[in-house]
Amino acid sequence: MKLIVGLGNPGKDYDNTRHNIGFSFIDFYLESCNIKPSWSKKFNGLLLKEKINGEDVIFLKPQTFMNLSGDSVSKVMNYYHISVDEILIICDDLDLNIGNFKLKLNGSSGGHNGLKDIENKIRSSEYKRLKIGISNNKSIDTKDYVLGKLSNSDEKIIHNVYLYLCDVLNDYFCIPFTDLMSKYNRKNR
C-alpha cells in the first residue's frame, strides 16, 4: 500500500496559493485519471483510497495546516501499517524555479515547515518527495510569498507542469524510484 500526501493549508483562503501546490496537484491528478474523489474526513485529513495499477493507494491531504502536517501523516501510517519507504510527499519548493520539479529519495526538510513536522512525527527523513518549484521572491517575506496567490502566468506554467507530472506519478506506480528519478529529474532552467 502506498501513501501519497499532498501538502497544503485547509480552507478557501488558501486556494490557489503557492503553499497549496501539493493539494492542487493531487486534485489535478485524480481528475486526469477520471477519479471523482469521495474524500473521507479521517486522521486530521482528507483521505481517499483508490486502486492504481493494481495496488492500494491512499491519497491524503492533511487538514492540520502546513506546520502540523506530520500529525495526519503519522496517524495514517500507523493505522494502515504503511512503512516510510511507501510514502511520497508532494510539496512546493522555493529553491526550484517555477516550471521545475525534483524527485528526491530522502534528505533534509530544506527549511520547509511541513516536511520538518513530518520528519519529527514519523522520526525519519527517508521518505520520497516530489518537490514542485514555486521560485522565490527575496523582496517579499517568505511567509507572505508562500501564502500568496499564483499569478495568471504562473498558473499557466503550473498547469503545464501538472500535465507532465501526471506521467511522473503514473510511472511512480510502475517503476523503481531510482529509475523514476533518472528518467524525470532535470536541472533548473
Side-chain angles (χ1 to χ4, degrees):
M1 179 179 286
K2 290 193 181 330
L3 174 59
I4 311 294
V5 181
L7 296 186
N9 286 304
K12 291 284 181 203
D13 291 346
Y14 298 101
D15 284 353
N16 201 35
T17 60
R18 294 176 186 92
H19 228 13
N20 273 35
I21 291 284
F23 281 7
S24 66
F25 175 63
I26 282 183
D27 292 339
F28 188 95
Y29 177 76
L30 293 171
E31 186 177 322
S32 78
C33 296
N34 294 314
I35 295 171
K36 292 183 174 43
S38 179
W39 295 98
S40 300
K41 291 183 181 182
K42 292 180 175 178
F43 310 109
N44 296 332
L46 296 176
L47 185 132
L48 177 70
K49 285 177 75 174
E50 287 292 329
K51 200 163 276 287
I52 309 254
N53 198 38
E55 183 172 16
D56 288 328
V57 178
I58 294 175
F59 292 92
L60 177 66
K61 298 194 291 187
Q63 300 294 291
T64 53
F65 289 95
M66 182 67 77
N67 296 356
L68 299 173
S69 298
D71 291 342
S72 183
V73 173
S74 62
K75 286 177 180 176
V76 171
M77 283 179 68
N78 291 334
Y79 184 84
Y80 290 101
H81 307 290
I82 299 171
S83 64
V84 72
D85 61 324
E86 295 297 332
I87 299 173
L88 176 68
I89 307 288
I90 302 169
C91 65
D92 60 287
D93 191 301
L94 284 165
D95 295 326
L96 292 172
N97 291 332
I98 194 130
N100 286 280
F101 66 89
K102 186 173 186 175
L103 294 156
K104 281 191 73 176
L105 192 56
N106 53 35
S108 77
S109 66
H112 192 289
N113 289 329
L115 297 181
K116 275 186 204 172
D117 192 63
I118 289 168
E119 289 170 16
N120 287 336
K121 300 291 177 13
I122 70 172
R123 296 188 181 107
S124 177
S125 62
E126 299 298 310
Y127 55 89
K128 298 168 185 78
R129 306 125 207 259
L130 170 55
K131 301 166 90 175
I132 303 171
I134 59 169
S135 296
N136 195 352
N137 185 337
K138 302 269 190 204
S139 66
I140 301 173
D141 178 71
T142 300
K143 180 183 175 199
D144 293 336
Y145 181 75
V146 298
L147 295 178
K149 303 279 186 188
L150 291 164
S151 68
N152 287 340
S153 60
D154 285 352
E155 276 185 21
K156 289 176 185 165
I157 294 168
I158 291 291
H159 181 267
N160 289 331
V161 171
Y162 284 1
L163 289 169
Y164 190 73
L165 290 179
C166 286
D167 291 336
V168 174
L169 198 51
N170 284 332
D171 276 354
Y172 168 74
F173 297 114
C174 303
I175 65 176
F177 199 76
T178 51
D179 294 346
L180 192 73
M181 291 190 300
S182 296
K183 183 175 180 179
Y184 289 109
N185 274 346
R186 58 189 184 185
K187 296 193 183 290
N188 278 338
R189 289 177 267 167

